[in-house]
């Protein structure tokens, strides 16, 4: 069963810019579309979309669908869902990718529910491959493998949607790499009439107030990260991590367990359900190394693990393993850095 | 104004205590083998529901959960904290459901329940972290959704005003009732159990729990209707067999793998001053730091 339909990425657009996560998905989408021999398409829904295609074409987009209406910005659930549902009924994409953001995680389920297509959240890898149904023996070619860690972190699951289209997946920001495909690539622009895709009745939720707060922490772009896990043991010990990060000019990150324990803010969480990072230096303190966490930091250039447990799983991917109590080890790192850095 | 409030909740495996027998061979979760807890963000949703009840005397809060019969445990927990009643949607035919089949089943139960003003639930459950079931139920019921809610600021004149906590900041929205509101972990914590309610409802049981009691205990439950929790099956909520359970799930688990990391050749050292100083010097020399 060959599927010649295209791959589409829902692109988020705010303050004149396409979101990074959307460009990352276009980069991955370009690879997948080429492998499938189909077109890469993008859909942008909002207001003041003039020229937005110029931001998209360099990523290898063949078709840009634009749906412009004052009321479509800022994002609300029903109108954006209505546009996608009606558009997908018409163009029948085989794959749809979205950012696993507050928008994508609000929009994706609503669209998948209406179209009865499967949706996999927070994928860490996307591949194309074949599938044979173990019960019916029916064979499928070129399905989207939606790969994500699952369940406590001991396993990675590959999910497929054999019979329903589009195959939908969300991916968090930073998981895929953003790379220009061809700065001179040109595609087609299709302006859609919003009246045909969304009705007045869809505008039911009213935004009364919106406060944009730029996140104070920027761990995604920090070249040095000192990350604490559950083994850090207390909020007080996290202050030690902060001291080391400040000394080295880095940021403090945390595992989910440490965030859940209340020792670090949620915007510092690294891993599948947090931020994915690729720093020059990653110092893991009291981090055991569950898959969900490793998925978010394994591409770090140099990894140092500081852990009481010489057999902590994270040690297998570390370049340097310091076996000891972080309360003793971190002050020494600070001390010897200060001594030698001048 | 008195309200009919539904709280969607899930009994979830405590993902911090996952053992080796957690997965079945077909790739679905072996829930029976795991310690089970009240999904944390569903407790945040319950608190918002109880606040609405406090502000609107005469309102009722009904917990709706889908799962194994033992999910009656979280209904009791919710009742101890202030909920009025609860329903366990449980049936072998519902097993192995993905988020779409789950939301269909729950939406059917909501329709069976009938008259409701607002549906609250946690943003997501800690076992799957998908955040899909809330919006999907809203779509199936044809009503609006407000996700990532941190606080319900007002409910009056057929609308609800909600503060949302997003990655980019804070948004206040107004939605018409009925609607689905999913609540973030950053919302107010749930109130604790109330001692009087605990005494009154500790013997509340679902029909399948009741069946395991002695005749004397069963007679006691029969004589006290407030101790009878409800248990609904797939047929009772008029669920289409094609749309529930494994069969009704468009997503299939193709493979489950234990991940083995390609081990690097790590340099190992103890908490030894000389070795740590050497490491720091090396990192400075190759411009990793400094």
């Amino acid at each position: 069963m060959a599927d010649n339909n295209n791959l589409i990425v829902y692109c988020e657009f705010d303050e004149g810019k396409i979101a990074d996560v959307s460009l990352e998905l276009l980069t991955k989408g370009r690879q997948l579309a080429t492998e499938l021999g189909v077109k890469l398409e993008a859909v942008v829904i909002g207001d003041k979309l003039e020229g937005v295609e110029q931001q998209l074409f360099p990523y290898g987009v063949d078709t840009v669908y634009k749906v412009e209406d004052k009321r479509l910005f800022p994002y609300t659930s029903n109108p954006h869902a209505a546009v996608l549902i009606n558009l997908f009924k018409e163009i029948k994409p085989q794959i749809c990718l979205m950012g696993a953001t507050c928008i994508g995680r609000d929009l994706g389920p609503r669209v998948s529910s209406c179209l009865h297509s499967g949706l996999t959240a927070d994928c860490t890898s996307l591949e194309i491959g074949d599938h044979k149904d173990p019960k019916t023996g029916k064979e499928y070619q070129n399905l989207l493998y939606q790969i994500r860690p699952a369940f406590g972190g001991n396993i990675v699951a590959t999910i497929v949607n054999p019979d329903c289209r589009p195959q939908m997946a969300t991916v968090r920001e930073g998981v895929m790499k953003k790379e220009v495909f061809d700065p001179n690539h040109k595609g087609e622009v299709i302006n859609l009439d919003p009246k045909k895709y969304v009705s007045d009745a869809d505008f039911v939720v009213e935004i009364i107030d919106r406060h944009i707060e730029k996140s104070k922490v920027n761990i995604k772009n920090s070249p040095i990260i000192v990350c604490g896990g559950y083994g850090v043991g207390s909020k007080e010990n996290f202050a030690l991590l902060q001291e080391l990060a400040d000394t080295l000019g880095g940021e403090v990150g945390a595992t989910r367990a440490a965030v859940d324990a209340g020792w670090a803010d949620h915007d510092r969480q690294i891993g599948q359900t947090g931020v994915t990072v690729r720093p020059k230096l990653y110092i893991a303190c009291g981090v055991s190394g569950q898959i969900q966490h490793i998925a978010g930091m394994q591409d770090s250039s140099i990894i140092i693990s500081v852990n009481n447990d010489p057999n902590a799983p994270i040690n297998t991917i570390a370049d340097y393993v310091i076996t000891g109590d972080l309360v003793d080890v971190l002050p020494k790192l600070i001390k010897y850095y200060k001594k030698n850095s001048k | 104004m008195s309200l009919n409030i539904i709280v969607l909740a899930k009994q979830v495996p405590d993902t911090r205590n996952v053992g080796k027998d957690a997965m079945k061979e077909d790739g679905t979760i072996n829930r029976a083998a795991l310690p089970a807890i009240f999904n944390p963000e569903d407790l945040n949703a319950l608190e918002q529901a109880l606040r609405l009840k406090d502000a609107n005397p005469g309102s009722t809060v009904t917990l709706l959960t889908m799962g194994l019969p033992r999910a009656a445990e979280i209904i009791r927990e919710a009742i101890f904290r202030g909920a009025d009643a609860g329903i366990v949607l449980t049936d072998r035919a519902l097993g192995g459901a993905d988020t779409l089949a789950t939301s269909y089943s729950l939406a059917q139960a909501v329709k069976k329940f009938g008259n409701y003003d607002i549906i609250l639930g946690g943003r997501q459950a800690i076992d799957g972290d998908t955040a899909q079931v809330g919006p999907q139920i809203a779509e199936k019921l044809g009503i609006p959704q407000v996700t990532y809610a941190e606080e319900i600021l007002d409910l009056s004149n057929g609308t609800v005003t909600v503060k949302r906590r997003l990655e980019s900041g804070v948004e206040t929205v107004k939605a018409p009732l009925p609607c689905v509101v999913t609540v973030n972990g950053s919302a107010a914590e749930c109130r604790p159990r109330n001692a009087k309610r605990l005494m009154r409802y500790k013997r509340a049981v679902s029909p399948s729990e009741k069946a395991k009691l002695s005749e004397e205990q069963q007679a006691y439950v029969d004589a006290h209707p407030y101790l009878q929790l409800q248990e609904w099956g797939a047929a009772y909520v008029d669920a289409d067999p094609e749309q529930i359970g494994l069969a009704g799930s468009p997503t299939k688990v193709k493979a489950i793998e234990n991940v083995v990391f390609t081990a690097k050749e790590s340099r190992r050292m103890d908490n030894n001053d000389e070795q740590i100083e050497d490491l720091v010097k090396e990192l400075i020399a190759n411009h990793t730091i400094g």
Side-chain angles (χ1 to χ4, degrees), chain B residues 170-221:
Chain B
V170 175
E171 196 176 84
T172 305
V173 301
K174 195 172 179 179
L177 298 177
C179 67
V180 171
V181 177
T182 69
V183 181
N184 264 0
S186 61
E189 256 182 65
C190 191
R191 64 196 64 183
R193 295 173 173 186
N194 172 299
K196 279 186 186 161
R197 296 186 69 85
L198 178 63
M199 291 309 291
R200 182 171 162 85
Y201 292 102
K202 64 182 178 186
R203 287 202 264 183
V205 285
S206 66
S208 45
E209 289 173 322
K210 190 184 130 195
K212 293 177 189 154
L213 300 177
S214 68
E215 265 179 48
E216 193 187 339
Q217 288 168 318
Q218 292 194 15
Y220 185 84
V221 173

Side-chain angles (χ1 to χ4, degrees), chain B residues 8-48:
Chain B
L8 299 169
K10 186 177 184 185
Q11 191 180 41
V12 290
D14 191 345
T15 40
R16 277 199 200 146
N17 293 300
V18 173
K20 285 218 166 85
D21 49 356
M23 307 300 292
K24 290 192 234 171
E25 275 182 14
D26 65 357
T28 57
I29 297 164
N30 183 12
R31 292 187 187 279
L34 295 161
I37 58 169
F38 203 124
N39 179 50
E41 288 185 333
D42 297 339
L43 282 170
N44 297 104
L46 176 61
E47 176 60 26
Q48 293 298 315

Side-chain angles (χ1 to χ4, degrees), chain A residues 108-128:
Chain A
R110 195 143 185 130
V111 174
S112 86
S113 172
C114 184
L115 298 175
H116 194 73
S117 62
L119 169 63
T120 305
D122 298 342
C123 295
T124 51
S125 180
L126 297 171
E127 293 168 16
I128 302 295

Side-chain angles (χ1 to χ4, degrees), chain A residues 51-79:
Chain A
V52 68
E53 60 274 11
Q54 300 310 328
Q55 296 179 40
L56 299 171
F57 288 146
Y59 291 87
V61 178
D62 299 308
T63 315
V64 178
Y65 295 98
K66 287 160 69 166
V67 190
E68 186 168 329
D69 186 301
K70 249 196 189 110
R71 297 171 301 171
L72 290 171
F73 183 87
Y75 167 88
T76 50
S77 319
N78 287 30

Side-chain angles (χ1 to χ4, degrees), chain A residues 77-78 101-102 105-106 109-110 112-114 116-122 130-131 135 145 148 151-152 154-162 164 204-213 224 230 248 256-257 260 273 280-281 291 294 298 302-304 310 315-324 328-329 332-333 335-337 339-341, chain B residues 13 15-16 18 22-23 29 34 100 123-124 126-132 135-136 138-140 142-145 147-148 161 164-176 246 248 250-259 261-273 276-277 279-284 286-290:
Chain A
S77 319
N78 287 30
T101 58
C102 288
R105 284 159 63 86
D106 182 87
R110 195 143 185 130
S112 86
S113 172
C114 184
H116 194 73
S117 62
L119 169 63
T120 305
D122 298 342
D130 297 339
H131 175 63
K135 281 190 192 126
Y145 287 0
R148 67 175 308 224
F151 215 68
N154 299 311
I155 53 159
V156 167
T158 301
I159 314 287
V160 290
N161 312 349
C164 301
V204 283
V205 173
E206 180 192 348
I207 297 179
I208 298 172
D209 193 27
R210 223 175 149 233
H211 280 290
I212 305 295
E213 294 166 7
I224 296 169
Y230 200 67
L248 301 177
R256 179 178 186 155
D260 286 349
T273 54
K280 267 200 307 188
L281 175 63
I291 291 178
I294 288 178
Q298 60 191 346
I302 294 178
I303 298 166
I304 300 176
N315 291 353
T316 61
I317 63 155
D319 300 276
Y320 301 92
V321 174
I322 306 176
T323 303
D328 301 323
V329 175
K332 286 181 187 172
L333 286 169
K335 178 175 142 192
Y336 291 117
Y337 176 77
K339 182 180 158 195
N340 290 289
S341 68
Chain B
T15 40
R16 277 199 200 146
V18 173
M23 307 300 292
I29 297 164
L34 295 161
L100 217 49
R123 174 188 56 140
Q124 62 191 39
I126 58 168
D127 53 350
D129 287 321
T130 70
Q132 290 174 4
Q136 286 173 340
E139 194 280 332
K140 300 225 176 289
I143 59 176
Q145 68 200 42
T147 53
Y148 294 91
T161 307
R164 304 178 70 212
R165 168 71 55 183
L166 309 173
E167 69 247 293
S168 58
V170 175
E171 196 176 84
T172 305
V173 301
K174 195 172 179 179
L246 204 54
T251 59
K252 311 284 180 201
V253 178
K254 176 174 171 57
I256 294 283
E257 284 165 58
N258 285 309
V259 169
F261 296 107
T262 29
K264 289 183 183 172
E265 266 187 47
S266 319
R267 222 170 84 194
R268 293 194 170 243
M269 57 193 79
D270 295 321
N271 177 19
N272 163 309
D273 279 73
I276 290 178
E277 184 165 11
L279 168 63
V280 170
K281 280 183 183 166
E282 192 181 316
L283 293 174
I284 292 172
N286 66 22
H287 304 290
T288 301
I289 54 176

Side-chain angles (χ1 to χ4, degrees), chain B residues 28-106:
Chain B
T28 57
I29 297 164
N30 183 12
R31 292 187 187 279
L34 295 161
I37 58 169
F38 203 124
N39 179 50
E41 288 185 333
D42 297 339
L43 282 170
N44 297 104
L46 176 61
E47 176 60 26
Q48 293 298 315
L50 295 174
R51 287 180 183 197
L52 286 176
K53 185 185 167 180
D54 293 343
N56 298 278
S59 300
T60 56
V61 174
T62 305
L63 202 87
L64 171 60
T65 184
M66 173 171 139
L68 295 172
R70 75 168 179 179
E73 290 163 7
I74 66 167
I75 290 181
R76 273 190 296 278
E77 183 64 41
I79 290 175
F80 297 158
R81 293 174 191 239
D84 298 281
I87 302 158
V88 192
L89 180 62
T90 184
D91 200 314
R92 275 178 187 279
L94 299 171
D98 70 358
T99 66
L100 217 49
T102 300
S103 52
Y104 169 76
S105 309
L106 284 167

